[in-house]
Amino acid sequence: MKLIALLLVCSVTAFGQNSLHLLLQDSNKEALPFATVLLKKTADSSLVKGMNTNENGELKVTKLPLGKFTLTIQSTGFKPAKIILDEISADTEIELGIITLSPLSTELAEVKVTATKPFIEKKLDKTIVNVENSAMAAGNTTMELLERSPGVIVDKDGNISLRGKSGASIMIDGKISYLTGADLANYLKNLPADQISQLEIMANPSSRYDAAGTGGIINIKLKKNSNIGLNGSANATVAQGVYSRQSTGVNLNYRKNGWNWFGNGSVVNRITLDRNYLTRQFRAQNEVWENGYAFKNENQTTQLKGGVDWYYSKKTTVGILASGNFNQFTLNNGLNQTIQYTSAGKALSRLNTYNNVGNPSHNYSANFNFKHNYDSTGRELTIDLDYARFVDNNGSNLRSQFLAGNFTALRPDSLLLNNSKSFVDQYSFKLDYVLPSFLKSKWGAGLKSSYVKTDNDLRFQGKNEGDRAFTFLTGQSNQFIYTEQIHAAYLNTERAIGKFSYQIGLRGEWTLADGLSQAYTANSKDSTFRRDYAQLFPSAFFQYDMSKNHSLSLNFSRRIDRPSYGDLNPFVFFLDNFTFRVGNPLLTPQLTNSVEFSHTFMGAFSTILGYSHTTNVITEILKQDTEARKSFQTTANMAERTNYSLGFSLPIPIAKWWSSNTDIYFNRAELVGKVENVNLSPVNNQFYFNSNHIFTLPKEFRFEIGGNYFSGGLESAFIFGAGGSLNLGIQKTVMKKRGVIRLNAQDILYTSNPDVFIKYGDLDIAVRPRQDSRVVRLNFSYRFGNMSIKGARERATGLDAEKSRVKSK
């Protein structure tokens, strides 16, 4: 809070004690209340300050920025007026007197009205960030833009959360991206922000969107141009953490004679060092087990995407899109050490596990899309047909060395070989229809059907050192086949009545799922399960505009999170003989009801009070076999989780060369449930503060400083401690503004790895992760060709809710 106070003081200091006064009226000498008055820089017409006349048509403002500016005055139904101001100094007093606006009606056919949108707008069901032509877009990436947007939090791994809720979905031009995790982060880091027109931030999406996902949606709308020719961009990055990293990428677009061909590709070589320290306390046995590992992970990823849009007519567009991703993950000589101590600190035994992993994987997808605009009212039909396939091959070998506390061998080393293959096939059909003027409201309706099949085969072989051959371990090997159908329909309507507006929708989804776990031994029975359920997902949004500067909103939504295919897989993945992960095919979906009340000032400054309640919570937990001294991670359904939140979004203009955006959130999370018949009810209060500042310097330089702090929190059943990060960056535009050089440092103080704790029953575990988060990056990007060419219609199609449930290891 001290930083906010300091920013406000700086804001007052940066503006002089000057003033501006005017009265606005129409040709009948009637006052024009709540008209928009925009203060812009004379040099580049960029927006500096937005203001409104009061109910009497009067505007009186003090503490104006210093420099040369123009005023643009706008009111609905009137021609805008533009006034060039004399240079404003610290003591300038500007008296413009009475200004009269002319009506549009007499020259309506000849006048084109262009209104400059404010940077941040609060709408009925979303917050809009108008990126186009703003300083936020120049030279930045889309990921950097998201980090500075209201309510958006990006962690060190590129995971995006919205208003304290993790798992936000990303859409490109209204279609959810199938990319997740590191792949999505790489895409957003390589997409220039100056290709973006708007961001639409939806904390509680309406019924027209898939009901899956409780983290909200961020829709990235790309600029639309119509010039003919070729354009593109290329970029390259080198980075240094513990190890060096490199990436290169290229985007191409060619448009001519009603055809638009597009493609992009990237190659990423990423080497990281993952370290973790785990302490397990067995209170009944008076023992403490210390576990630590350091893994050098090598990732080589190639992504390709291409397609064509055919503009059959001004109303009809047909498109085809194909994409592929090829990844090679390698872990060589990873060492995991486990030591058994007495409560007095004497070592009883030691286990050293050496791990080698080779994990090649790939996926590809294809989409056919059709869009038809019937008329100028906005009535339209869109259709998407999709197919995607994911293939994952995982091979690993573990060598376990068993030692006494004094390092003498207890038994021969054991070797465990694992080979798993996973195949995921996905099909989808989606149809959306918009009818803008029916019963005085805008209506939308749609259908969607998807089918998914996963086939996972896991096989283990083991032997002791000195044995001649490996033995196939039938008890640990398994094949799991899962199929799922989801059929959905929705109806949505919205209308504005004076100062009141609403949007109400209902979505229905019917899910059919079958699972089959096939054992490799005659002594073990195959297990099956079937899910057949239908759910309704209502949504409602209400907004009341009290005045030009103040509005109140209330919204409600019900959403669902289905288990990922990997969490349903009952396979066992070993870290060592005492620590491993197990899937859970008995998981069922979780359901969340959310309510938010918000107040917005001047379309930008917002206060948000939120509540959500989740039942059947899908939760990551640790279980412990006390007698065998084994701990394993799995996913289970807990009874319920309740979240309370209070948030403030503060886009504060400090000076014409200094812009900032600050988010403050208070969250309380309460989890209730049982683990192995032991009651578990962790509760945590979290304070989150995030502030980013951009300084525009002479000679095309920009300096940025930002960071965040969190006091701790509750993630699944785990309590995590306090942490945060400090980030610095500088960039320069070169080569006639076609090239940008960026240098940035992330997590400079190495404080973004909080400790994690869990405690219930006889389980007392502390985890100290130390990820490779402190990284310095040098990036160069260059744009070539015709910069005003219309971009390809980015889409990730109708399968994306299903694709996001495919987890990479």
Side-chain angles (χ1 to χ4, degrees):
M1 297 302 292
K2 290 182 179 179
L3 179 56
I4 292 296
L6 176 61
L7 295 182
L8 293 174
V9 170
C10 291
S11 178
V12 172
T13 304
F15 290 79
Q17 299 300 315
N18 43 39
S19 65
L20 169 68
H21 178 255
L22 63 85
L23 286 169
L24 192 63
Q25 63 180 27
D26 61 16
S27 56
N28 296 322
K29 298 184 179 181
E30 295 288 335
L32 291 177
F34 311 121
T36 301
V37 181
L38 304 174
L39 184 68
K40 303 178 183 180
K41 292 182 181 179
T42 303
D44 56 5
S45 297
S46 60
L47 179 63
V48 176
K49 187 178 182 67
M51 301 161 285
N52 297 102
T53 59
N54 62 19
E55 62 272 16
N56 298 317
E58 183 180 20
L59 174 67
K60 188 172 184 179
V61 62
T62 59
K63 301 173 185 177
L64 294 165
L66 310 182
K68 295 183 178 181
F69 302 92
T70 60
L71 277 185
T72 299
I73 304 173
Q74 302 166 345
S75 184
T76 303
F78 295 88
K79 291 194 295 182
K82 182 177 181 180
I83 300 173
I84 301 175
L85 303 177
D86 294 330
E87 185 169 355
I88 299 175
S89 63
D91 56 357
T92 300
E93 295 183 1
I94 303 175
E95 178 58 58
L96 297 178
I98 298 175
I99 297 175
T100 302
L101 296 186
S102 302
L104 284 172
S105 56
T106 57
E107 301 179 44
L108 188 59
E110 302 175 6
V111 177
K112 179 181 180 181
V113 180
T114 302
T116 301
K117 299 178 181 178
F119 179 62
I120 298 176
E121 293 181 278
K122 186 69 174 65
K123 297 296 185 181
L124 182 63
D125 59 342
K126 68 191 71 172
T127 298
I128 297 177
V129 181
N130 291 301
V131 181
E132 194 166 10
N133 299 322
S134 74
M136 291 281 285
N140 282 327
T141 68
T142 301
M143 183 66 86
E144 292 167 333
L145 180 65
L146 289 173
E147 290 175 344
R148 302 179 182 96
S149 298
V152 180
I153 301 170
V154 181
D155 70 11
K156 65 183 189 310
D157 299 316
N159 299 312
I160 300 169
S161 59
L162 185 56
R163 295 182 186 171
K165 297 186 290 185
S166 60
S169 300
I170 298 297
M171 302 179 73
I172 307 293
D173 280 344
K175 298 183 181 295
I176 293 181
S177 172
Y178 73 89
L179 298 174
T180 60
D183 295 335
L184 176 60
N186 287 331
Y187 173 75
L188 295 176
K189 289 174 182 177
N190 287 316
L191 179 63
D194 53 15
Q195 294 183 15
I196 309 302
S197 172
Q198 285 183 339
L199 299 179
E200 294 180 337
I201 302 173
M202 295 169 276
N204 289 318
S206 69
S207 298
R208 66 169 300 209
Y209 302 102
D210 283 326
T214 57
I217 294 174
I218 301 173
N219 182 27
I220 300 172
K221 300 180 72 172
L222 302 178
K223 292 180 180 179
K224 302 299 181 184
N225 301 299
S226 57
N227 291 33
I228 304 301
L230 173 70
N231 76 345
S233 64
N235 64 83
T237 301
V238 293
Q240 184 67 48
V242 177
Y243 302 102
S244 62
R245 313 169 190 181
Q246 308 84 32
S247 67
T248 58
V250 64
N251 292 273
L252 294 172
N253 198 91
Y254 180 73
R255 180 182 175 90
K256 190 174 183 180
N257 297 331
W259 293 82
N260 193 80
W261 302 84
F262 57 93
N264 60 65
S266 65
V267 178
V268 178
N269 180 36
R270 190 169 185 265
I271 305 176
T272 61
L273 178 64
D274 288 344
R275 292 167 291 179
N276 205 359
Y277 305 94
L278 175 72
T279 300
R280 295 176 292 158
Q281 182 176 357
F282 297 86
R283 291 189 294 273
Q285 289 75 20
N286 290 319
E287 291 179 4
V288 176
W289 287 58
E290 294 280 355
N291 173 274
Y293 68 76
F295 292 166
K296 179 184 178 183
N297 300 318
E298 301 181 40
N299 277 280
Q300 292 84 37
T301 302
T302 301
Q303 300 180 53
L304 297 171
K305 185 177 184 179
V308 58
D309 290 326
W310 177 35
Y311 299 90
Y312 173 76
S313 69
K314 291 183 179 180
K315 296 182 178 181
T316 305
T317 304
V318 179
I320 297 174
L321 173 68
S323 63
N325 179 289
F326 309 89
N327 183 74
Q328 175 66 52
F329 171 81
T330 305
L331 168 63
N332 292 316
N333 297 317
L335 174 59
N336 181 65
Q337 296 178 302
T338 302
I339 306 175
Q340 177 190 15
Y341 291 99
T342 65
S343 58
K346 180 183 177 181
L348 297 176
S349 66
R350 303 173 187 271
L351 172 64
N352 295 331
T353 303
Y354 299 89
N355 197 355
N356 293 280
V357 178
N359 182 199
S361 62
H362 67 271
N363 64 74
Y364 51 85
S365 62
N367 162 261
F368 169 82
N369 56 88
F370 170 88
K371 182 176 181 179
H372 179 73
N373 296 308
Y374 290 88
D375 49 46
S376 60
T377 65
R379 186 163 64 103
E380 68 177 30
L381 172 70
T382 59
I383 298 174
D384 283 281
L385 296 171
D386 296 274
Y387 170 73
R389 181 174 175 83
F390 296 78
V391 180
D392 191 300
N393 292 281
N394 188 300
S396 67
N397 65 78
L398 288 85
R399 182 184 185 92
S400 299
Q401 185 180 53
F402 302 88
L403 305 173
N406 60 1
F407 297 96
T408 59
L410 291 176
R411 47 169 284 191
D413 293 354
S414 71
L415 292 92
L416 184 67
L417 300 183
N418 159 42
N419 183 39
S420 65
K421 295 183 178 180
S422 298
F423 303 90
V424 182
D425 291 282
Q426 302 172 325
Y427 306 82
S428 174
F429 166 80
K430 186 166 73 77
L431 179 149
D432 294 282
Y433 180 74
V434 177
L435 186 60
S437 299
F438 178 66
L439 299 178
K440 299 182 179 180
S441 301
K442 179 180 179 180
W443 292 77
L447 302 170
K448 180 183 176 181
S449 289
S450 65
Y451 173 80
V452 178
K453 180 179 180 181
T454 72
D455 188 345
N456 307 274
D457 190 4
L458 177 67
R459 305 189 182 193
F460 281 101
Q461 300 179 72
K463 73 170 185 175
N464 291 324
E465 190 173 37
D467 294 346
R468 296 186 59 184
F470 282 91
T471 301
F472 180 62
L473 305 178
T474 56
Q476 297 178 14
S477 302
N478 189 279
Q479 184 175 15
F480 177 66
I481 300 173
Y482 176 79
T483 60
E484 180 185 81
Q485 300 177 52
I486 301 176
H487 306 285
Y490 76 86
L491 182 65
N492 203 65
T493 182
E494 59 184 281
R495 185 183 180 188
I497 307 173
K499 294 183 178 182
F500 177 76
S501 55
Y502 69 85
Q503 182 184 132
I504 299 174
L506 181 65
R507 185 180 186 91
E509 294 191 353
W510 177 34
T511 303
L512 295 166
D514 294 277
L516 171 63
S517 180
Q518 297 177 309
Y520 280 100
T521 174
N523 297 326
S524 300
K525 294 183 179 180
D526 295 345
S527 61
T528 63
F529 67 86
R530 180 175 178 80
R531 306 273 187 266
D532 185 348
Y533 57 91
Q535 297 279 355
L536 293 177
F537 301 97
S539 66
F541 304 86
F542 304 96
Q543 180 172 308
Y544 178 70
D545 296 323
M546 297 185 297
S547 67
K548 201 72 173 180
N549 289 331
H550 296 273
S551 65
L552 298 176
S553 299
L554 178 67
N555 62 63
F556 165 82
S557 68
R558 185 172 192 256
R559 299 183 67 76
I560 186 171
D561 275 307
R562 297 180 177 88
S564 73
Y565 308 130
D567 287 338
L568 290 168
N569 192 330
F571 294 169
V572 178
F573 296 95
F574 284 91
L575 184 63
D576 62 30
N577 290 54
F578 298 100
T579 314
F580 47 90
R581 175 178 173 81
V582 182
N584 182 4
L586 301 181
L587 284 173
T588 56
Q590 67 178 26
L591 293 166
T592 300
N593 293 298
S594 299
V595 179
E596 279 192 354
F597 175 77
S598 64
H599 168 260
T600 303
F601 176 63
M602 294 183 67
F605 299 89
S606 60
T607 302
I608 302 165
L609 183 64
Y611 167 85
S612 67
H613 183 260
T614 303
T615 56
N616 220 27
V617 186
I618 299 174
T619 309
E620 292 283 349
I621 61 173
L622 283 174
K623 291 187 175 182
Q624 187 161 290
D625 183 342
T626 302
E627 294 301 321
R629 310 296 198 274
K630 294 182 178 181
S631 296
F632 61 94
Q633 182 176 342
T634 188
T635 306
N637 290 111
M638 304 287 283
E640 60 183 31
R641 175 179 173 131
T642 305
N643 279 79
Y644 307 89
S645 63
L646 174 64
F648 304 91
S649 182
L650 306 170
I652 304 173
I654 309 300
K656 62 180 181 180
W657 48 269
W658 179 1
S659 63
S660 74
N661 190 79
T662 298
D663 289 309
I664 303 172
Y665 285 93
F666 301 89
N667 294 295
R668 178 178 174 84
E670 302 173 353
L671 181 67
V672 177
K674 285 187 176 182
V675 176
E676 297 180 327
N677 296 318
V678 177
N679 290 326
L680 181 67
S681 56
V683 176
N684 193 266
N685 298 314
Q686 182 189 43
F687 168 73
Y688 180 85
F689 175 86
N690 181 74
S691 189
N692 291 282
H693 302 261
I694 304 172
F695 302 88
T696 303
L697 305 177
K699 298 184 179 180
E700 302 292 340
F701 277 97
R702 283 158 47 93
F703 176 72
E704 302 184 17
I705 181 171
N708 62 72
Y709 168 79
F710 50 87
S711 61
L714 178 66
E715 182 66 31
S716 292
F718 302 93
I719 299 291
F720 60 89
S725 65
L726 174 66
N727 311 310
L728 296 174
I730 189 168
Q731 73 175 47
K732 178 173 173 55
T733 303
V734 296
M735 305 173 74
K736 298 181 180 179
K737 296 187 178 183
R738 288 180 174 260
V740 178
I741 301 173
R742 302 180 184 90
L743 177 66
N744 65 68
Q746 179 181 344
D747 194 14
I748 295 172
L749 304 179
Y750 198 58
T751 52
S752 66
N753 291 279
D755 294 343
V756 181
F757 310 92
I758 186 169
K759 183 176 182 179
Y760 60 90
D762 192 43
L763 180 64
D764 196 345
I765 291 181
V767 184
R768 300 179 301 280
R770 296 296 179 263
Q771 305 300 317
D772 192 1
S773 60
R774 182 160 49 192
V775 181
V776 177
R777 294 182 177 87
L778 178 64
N779 170 270
F780 174 72
S781 60
Y782 180 75
R783 297 176 299 159
F784 54 86
N786 188 341
M787 293 298 102
S788 61
I789 295 176
K790 180 177 180 178
R793 293 186 304 127
E794 286 283 354
R795 65 191 69 82
T797 72
L799 267 179
D800 306 314
E802 291 72 33
K803 290 179 180 178
S804 64
R805 293 165 62 199
V806 181
K807 285 188 176 179
S808 58
K809 298 181 181 65

